C-alpha cells in the first residue's frame, strides 16, 4: 500500500528556525501492519500543532489543528474514534525489538 499524504509546504523550502516541531511517522494498526501515516508540525512562536493523518485503523485521511498538553502525544481519528499514540522517536526502536 502506498501512502502519499501531501504537506502544504515543501520540505526542501524550510528555513532554519521556521518550525519548532516537525515529524513524519508511519503508524501501525493492531496487527502491526504499517497502514497509516502522520505529519505533525508547529511553526516557531505558535501554540497549535497542525497535522495530516491517515488513520492506521480505518485508513481515513484527515487534517486538523490541536494543542498538545503533555507527552506522549495522541490524536483521535474523527471517523473511527480510535486514539492514536505518537511515540517518541527514541522509543520506537524499543518497540520493534
Amino acid at each position: 500500500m502506498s501512502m502519499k499524504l501531501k504537506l502544504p509546504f515543501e520540505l526542501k523550502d524550510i528555513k532554519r528556525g521556521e518550525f519548532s516541531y516537525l515529524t513524519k511517522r508511519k503508524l501501525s494498526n493492531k496487527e502491526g501492519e504499517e497502514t497509516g501515516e502522520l505529519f505533525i508540525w508547529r511553526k516557531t512562536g505558535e501554540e497549535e500543532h497542525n497535522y495530516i493523518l491517515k488513520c492506521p485503523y480505518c485508513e481515513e485521511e484527515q487534517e486538523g489543528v490541536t494543542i498538545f498538553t503533555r507527552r506522549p502525544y495522541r490524536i483521535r481519528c474523527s471517523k473511527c474514534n480510535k486514539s492514536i499514540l505518537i511515540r517518541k522517536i527514541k522509543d520506537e526502536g524499543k518497540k520493534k525489538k
Side-chain angles (χ1 to χ4, degrees), residues 12-65:
K12 64 183 169 110
D13 296 335
I14 294 175
K15 294 176 179 50
R16 173 174 265 215
E18 185 176 357
F19 291 91
S20 59
Y21 187 83
L22 178 66
T23 191
K24 176 184 177 184
R25 313 277 179 93
K26 292 190 177 187
L27 302 171
S28 300
N29 61 19
K30 63 183 175 185
E31 289 81 28
E33 303 165 324
E34 288 184 344
T35 55
E37 190 172 16
L38 175 69
F39 291 106
I40 303 175
W41 68 94
R42 183 180 73 203
K43 289 196 169 191
T44 302
E46 293 182 357
E47 186 177 358
E48 298 174 327
H49 289 77
N50 295 279
Y51 66 89
I52 300 174
L53 167 71
K54 179 176 181 188
C55 179
Y57 302 102
C58 69
E59 299 185 25
E60 175 77 6
E61 291 186 16
Q62 54 201 274
E63 54 187 79
V65 176

Side-chain angles (χ1 to χ4, degrees), residues 55 57-58 62 75-84:
C55 179
Y57 302 102
C58 69
Q62 54 201 274
I75 291 180
R76 186 166 299 277
C77 176
S78 61
K79 182 178 180 188
C80 70
N81 206 34
K82 295 260 189 196
S83 178
I84 300 162

